[in-house]
Amino acid sequence: MIQTLDKTKRFICWSGGKDSTASICKCYELGIRVDGVVITEVMFDLKRNISGENPKHIKWVYDVAIPIIKNVFGYEVIILRDKSDYIQEFNHRVGKKSKIPSRIGKKRGWFIGGMCIGNDRLKMRPLRKFFKSIGKCETIVGIAADETKRYNKKTMQEAGKRSILFELGITESMTYDICRKYNLLSPIYDNVSRGGCWFCPNQAIPEFAALKKEYPELWAELKLLSQDKEIVSQGFKYGKTFQEVEKEVDLINNQMTILDILEDKND
């Protein structure tokens, strides 16, 4: 049985992904009062209004998901953006406190894979600032019932955090149908199993290949940055340079499939 404290301020942390979206749907179905659905949009370039989110995904968030959440569910959607962006972090000069003298004065450059600074500074920092301004509240996060390790992490045990999905025994595989019921399944799941920023070094090569093929203008942004000689390292993806990654990307995008060969023979 889901229990809620009606006088407590309550927010849902939303990424647009299936788990956090399913959490919104279940709160609506159960009649749980929600003071706001909070989403952080990571920006690639604030000045030119270029989002860092997957293009298909962020378009769906604004054009489809937010109107449903606001007009059908009746929940306020709060969109956060950090004051910084990818370009600013890329061009940030390394200070004198650096433990590696050769890096002092150079640009920070590419985000390092793993838990990159982009997640901490461009996504989590505005969230921390927002919740600090709110004070005591309950925050609902999208952790499914079969994500025990994530649920048992220290950060999840902080006061006020909870997972409706975990409490209801809803697994990751179950969230797809919950979202589909309300036309709230992001189009990213047509091709990949995860979302994220289009410049993220944690992406697989096929995902970068899809980016270059579908959004050449965004790939061109990365290629331009790769020509900067002032960055501390040319390692774009776990030690591989942008040029090395691009070669792998082009191999995927230019290869002919068996189907292509058969079609050519039949023409």
Side-chain angles (χ1 to χ4, degrees):
M1 183 72 176
I2 296 292
Q3 295 182 350
T4 59
L5 302 175
D6 287 339
K7 292 183 179 180
T8 302
K9 289 182 179 179
R10 184 176 299 108
F11 297 88
I12 300 175
C13 291
W14 183 46
S15 66
K18 59 182 178 57
D19 296 341
S20 58
T21 302
S23 300
I24 300 171
C25 296
K26 296 311 293 185
C27 283
Y28 169 68
E29 291 179 354
L30 294 167
I32 297 175
R33 178 186 54 76
V34 173
D35 294 281
V37 174
V38 187
I39 182 170
T40 302
E41 181 182 5
V42 172
M43 296 299 293
F44 177 77
D45 190 334
L46 283 163
K47 290 182 179 179
R48 293 182 290 160
N49 197 35
I50 301 176
S51 179
E53 306 288 343
N54 178 287
K56 285 183 181 178
H57 178 66
I58 198 63
K59 185 178 189 303
W60 171 83
V61 164
Y62 280 106
D63 295 351
V64 178
I66 289 178
I68 292 174
I69 293 169
K70 291 175 65 176
N71 301 327
V72 178
F73 294 178
Y75 292 157
E76 179 186 3
V77 178
I78 301 162
I79 304 169
L80 306 177
R81 287 181 177 179
D82 193 69
K83 61 183 180 180
S84 186
D85 57 29
Y86 184 90
I87 292 295
Q88 291 179 58
E89 296 297 330
F90 183 96
N91 289 318
H92 176 80
R93 299 281 180 176
V94 178
K96 295 181 179 180
K97 293 183 180 180
S98 175
K99 296 179 180 180
I100 305 176
S102 62
R103 294 185 175 184
I104 296 174
K106 291 185 177 181
K107 295 179 181 180
R108 181 185 287 131
W110 306 118
F111 288 179
I112 298 174
M115 188 59 72
C116 73
I117 61 169
N119 182 73
D120 179 66
R121 298 183 182 181
L122 304 182
K123 184 175 283 290
M124 300 308 299
R125 182 165 60 186
L127 269 176
R128 290 193 294 265
K129 184 177 179 180
F130 172 79
F131 284 115
K132 185 177 180 180
S133 70
I134 294 297
K136 185 178 179 180
C137 67
E138 180 178 276
T139 57
I140 296 173
V141 296
I143 297 180
D146 50 351
E147 295 183 288
T148 308
K149 286 186 179 180
R150 283 187 65 202
Y151 187 80
N152 289 332
K153 279 187 176 181
K154 184 179 178 180
T155 51
M156 183 58 201
Q157 307 311 314
E158 294 174 2
K161 281 193 176 182
R162 67 185 298 190
S163 169
I164 295 295
L165 299 182
F166 202 92
E167 293 171 26
L168 291 172
I170 296 173
T171 62
E172 279 196 89
S173 63
M174 296 164 66
T175 60
Y176 291 96
D177 286 338
I178 293 172
C179 295
R180 287 191 187 100
K181 180 180 177 180
Y182 298 97
N183 191 32
L184 283 175
L185 185 66
S186 172
I188 59 171
Y189 294 110
D190 292 341
N191 303 310
V192 298
S193 60
R194 59 176 287 277
C197 300
W198 53 264
F199 50 73
C200 180
N202 296 322
Q203 291 186 90
I205 298 297
E207 291 176 303
F208 276 125
L211 174 71
K212 184 176 183 180
K213 187 174 183 179
E214 296 179 39
Y215 304 99
E217 72 282 4
L218 297 182
W219 188 260
E221 294 282 349
L222 296 178
K223 191 161 189 171
L224 181 63
L225 292 177
S226 75
Q227 297 168 9
D228 196 319
K229 304 301 182 184
E230 293 188 81
I231 57 179
V232 296
S233 170
Q234 291 296 328
F236 172 66
K237 176 178 170 59
Y238 291 93
K240 292 182 179 180
T241 67
F242 178 82
Q243 290 73 21
E244 289 171 332
V245 169
E246 187 171 45
K247 285 182 180 179
E248 294 184 48
V249 161
D250 290 340
L251 280 174
I252 292 175
N253 285 339
N254 296 332
Q255 69 182 350
M256 293 184 69
T257 65
I258 295 176
L259 181 60
D260 291 328
I261 296 172
L262 291 175
E263 286 178 350
D264 287 342
K265 287 183 178 180
N266 292 330
D267 287 344

